[in-house]
């Protein structure tokens, strides 16, 4: 049994996955979470995004199965729809419905409460792990010379404040992480942050629809583009309801009044979305979420940082949610933390943040690169970004008939393959040939 103790701040996906990894290296792991954590799968206040469609990328499913063998099979057993990454999803990309064929790559679409509930149950059962819920994180505690974090102060529902001592504290409190502020308070510099503002609005509503409303498809995904700036997703959830999520950017927020919601859907470039919600029976009122900007904290650029503290998940980098990357990147970071601790029993913040940065690079490039296709989105457009954004609509158009291109593209968005592969000479040639024949 390992000794030492660790505290994880935040008990959402990143926090739970961190706790799973730390349980291999520390005898006691305490996860501090403000919400009272439910036993099963339920919505909770600290994860308002749980009321919107959540996609678990194909790579995310693989990493979760490595951390919790059998998890995805159990999720499917609990009713999470599953299918083929290409054959099971009706994708609309750059206004083109790409060709669907089975490519042998499974993917599943659990609701956020189901996924988090199953992960939480497994973490709760780990020896040495304690979920300290219903507690607000107040501050870090540090050595008198302020060079080492020694624990965290928390306040419970009755207003009592206690200190939990730890050899390692990992901040997984999401976008609102206070580590930059705490660093300043301890006399360190804050990390710089890269931001790409997109002003994204979500609105979601659940519907009663026939079992075969999507035909043989398991998910409809309409991605936005410059010419078609509204997106949507529809999937059946484990309780049989259909979740419909509408998205707009640059302040084009989908309304939450029932008529406005339906009218907005009429502007989604795949008419199936409007038709399905007109035919379905709404089961609740639309709920909204606003997401101003992609934010990446550059911890890897810092020259000073306290020992005994690390940061993981949205607290490091939070992406425009339409690309469905957050949970998968949190899982990849947790896997990187595991590799780090295997090689460095006392973690090195400098090396850890460099390793995490490598995990974040590609998803950040994919999300912000796609956002920068909109001229109104402010940010630096490298030559590569401009070329890729000019090329992708042609690739999507060619993928209407060329299944090898649709497969290559969805594998990149699923974080299974690196994006450079889309620029392979044979693929460029296929895209060119298709463009000429059109
Ligand atoms: C609208 C929307 C849709 C999304 N869709 C997808 C998707 O389809 N696929 C995907 O992979 N990702 C998606 N994401 C992103 C995904 O939800 C996150 O990346 C994922 O939850 C990992 O985040 P996290 O655990 O780092 O932080 P969070 O999920 O934000 O969790 C932070 C946790 O810390 C707790 N906390 C915060 N402050 C304190 C405090 N002071 N004291 C105690 N506890 C505290 C909170 O209660 C919460 O439980 C979406 C996000 C949004 C907003």
């Amino acid at each position: 049994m390992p000794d030492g103790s660790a505290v994880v701040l935040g008990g959402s996906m990143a926090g739970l996955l961190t706790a799973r990894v730390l349980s291999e290296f520390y005898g006691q792991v305490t996860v501090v979470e403000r919400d009272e954590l439910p036993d099963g799968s339920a919505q909770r206040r600290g994860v308002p995004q749980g009321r919107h469609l959540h996609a678990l990328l194909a790579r995310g499913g693989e990493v979760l199965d490595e951390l919790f063998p059998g998890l995805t099979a159990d999720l499917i057993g609990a009713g999470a729809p599953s299918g083929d990454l290409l054959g099971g999803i009706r994708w609309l990309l750059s206004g083109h419905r790409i060709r669907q064929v089975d490519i042998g790559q499974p993917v599943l679409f659990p609701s956020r409460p189901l996924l988090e509930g199953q992960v939480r149950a497994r973490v709760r059962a780990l020896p040495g792990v304690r979920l300290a819920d219903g507690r607000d994180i107040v501050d870090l505690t540090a050595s008198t010379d302020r060079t080492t974090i020694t624990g965290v102060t928390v306040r419970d529902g009755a207003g009592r404040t206690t200190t939990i001592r730890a050899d390692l504290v990992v901040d997984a409190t999401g976008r609102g992480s206070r580590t930059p502020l705490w660093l300043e308070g301890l006399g360190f510099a804050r990390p710089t942050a890269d931001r790409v503002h997109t002003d994204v609005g979500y609105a979601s509503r659940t519907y009663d629809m026939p079992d075969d409303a999507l035909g043989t498809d398991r998910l409809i995904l309409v991605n936005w583009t410059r010419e078609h700036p509204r997106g949507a997703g529809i999937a059946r959830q484990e309780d049989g309801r259909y979740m419909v999520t509408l998205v707009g950017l640059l302040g084009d927020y989908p309304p939450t009044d029932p008529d406005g919601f339906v009218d907005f859907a009429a502007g989604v470039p795949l008419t199936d979305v409007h038709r399905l919600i007109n035919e379905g029976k709404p089961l609740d009122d639309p709920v909204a979420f606003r997401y101003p900007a992609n934010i990446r904290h550059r911890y890897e650029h810092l020259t000073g940082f306290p020992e005994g503290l690390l940061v993981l998940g949205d607290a490091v980098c939070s992406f425009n949610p339409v690309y469905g990357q957050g949970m998968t990147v949190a899982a990849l970071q947790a896997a990187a933390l595991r590799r780090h601790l295997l090689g460095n029993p006392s973690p090195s913040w400098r090396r850890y943040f460099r390793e995490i940065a490598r995990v974040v690079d590609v998803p950040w490039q994919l999300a912000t690169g796609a956002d920068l296709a909109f001229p109104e989105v402010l940010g630096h457009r490298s030559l590569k970004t401009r070329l890729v954004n000019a090329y992708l609509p042609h690739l999507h158009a060619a993928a209407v008939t060329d299944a090898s291109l649709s497969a290559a593209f969805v594998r990149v968005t699923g974080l299974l393959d690196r994006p450079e592969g889309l620029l392979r000479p044979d693929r460029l040639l296929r895209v060119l040939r298709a463009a000429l024949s059109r």
Side-chain angles (χ1 to χ4, degrees), residues 12 14 33-34 44 49 54-55 112 136-137 314 324 326-327:
S12 178
E33 167 57 47
R34 184 189 282 141
R44 62 184 183 86
Q49 66 266 40
H54 258 60
R112 171 64 189 241
D136 204 5
I137 297 148
D314 281 18
M327 298 187 299

Side-chain angles (χ1 to χ4, degrees), residues 136 138-139 152-164:
D136 204 5
V138 181
D139 207 348
V152 59
T153 317
V154 303
R155 191 184 306 116
D156 67 15
R160 281 184 301 258
T161 303
T162 48
T163 296
I164 309 173

Side-chain angles (χ1 to χ4, degrees), residues 35 56 72 100 118 123 125 175 208 247 287 293 368 414:
D35 284 351
L56 175 64
T72 59
Q100 283 178 260
Q118 292 255 352
V123 171
R175 270 176 83 82
D208 185 17
V247 290
V287 287
T368 58

Side-chain angles (χ1 to χ4, degrees), residues 102-371:
D102 281 357
I103 54 171
Q105 177 60 54
V107 66
L108 67 160
F109 320 109
S111 71
R112 171 64 189 241
L114 176 68
L115 174 59
E116 194 179 307
Q118 292 255 352
V119 169
R120 187 166 54 239
R122 281 162 178 75
V123 171
R124 218 191 271 277
L126 290 169
V129 175
R130 181 172 73 101
L131 301 187
D133 57 351
R135 289 171 176 80
D136 204 5
I137 297 148
V138 181
D139 207 348
L140 299 176
T141 57
S143 56
T144 38
D145 64 359
R146 297 170 159 207
T147 59
T148 305
I149 299 307
T150 55
V152 59
T153 317
V154 303
R155 191 184 306 116
D156 67 15
R160 281 184 301 258
T161 303
T162 48
T163 296
I164 309 173
R165 239 204 53 74
D167 301 304
L168 175 67
V169 174
V170 182
D171 177 8
T173 52
R175 270 176 83 82
S177 154
R178 279 177 289 160
T179 292
L181 267 177
W182 288 329
L183 286 177
E184 248 179 8
L186 291 165
F188 292 91
R190 294 168 76 115
T192 55
D194 295 345
R195 286 187 170 79
V196 176
H197 287 266
T198 43
D199 283 331
V200 172
Y202 266 58
S204 298
R205 193 176 198 191
T206 59
Y207 283 83
D208 185 17
M209 293 183 195
D211 287 352
D212 60 353
L214 306 188
T216 54
D217 295 333
R218 295 314 188 102
L219 173 68
I220 291 182
L221 262 189
V222 181
N223 280 22
W224 56 33
T225 52
R226 207 172 137 184
E227 290 72 27
H228 307 280
R230 288 182 177 177
I234 304 182
R236 194 162 185 236
Q237 308 283 274
E238 61 279 358
D239 58 5
R241 295 169 174 228
Y242 282 82
M243 168 85 79
V244 177
T245 291
L246 304 178
V247 290
L249 89 167
L250 297 162
D252 178 26
Y253 304 133
T256 49
D257 65 285
D259 290 343
F261 187 83
V262 176
D263 289 349
F264 186 95
V268 171
L270 185 71
T271 52
D272 301 5
V273 174
H274 192 234
R275 177 180 55 76
L276 282 166
I277 66 174
N278 271 319
E279 288 169 8
K281 180 172 156 254
L283 298 172
D284 50 18
D285 287 329
V287 287
F289 194 99
R290 300 245 170 117
Y291 184 93
N294 300 275
I295 303 180
R296 181 176 184 183
H297 297 281
R298 294 293 196 160
Y299 284 104
E300 70 277 17
H301 293 169
L302 288 176
T303 52
F305 195 81
E307 299 299 326
L309 176 67
L310 299 175
V311 189
L312 195 146
D314 281 18
V316 173
C317 186
S318 126
F319 306 90
N320 181 341
V322 290
Y323 308 111
Q325 303 184 124
M327 298 187 299
T328 294
V329 176
L332 289 166
Q333 290 180 17
L337 172 64
R338 182 168 184 275
R339 285 193 299 276
H340 181 85
L341 292 173
L342 284 170
N344 306 267
S346 329
S348 146
W349 61 266
R350 208 182 287 274
R351 271 200 295 269
Y352 166 80
F353 284 124
R354 257 191 253 134
E355 288 154 9
I356 291 295
R358 280 199 287 275
V359 169
V360 170
D361 277 344
V362 166
W364 176 258
Q365 184 194 326
L366 290 175
T368 58
D371 287 345

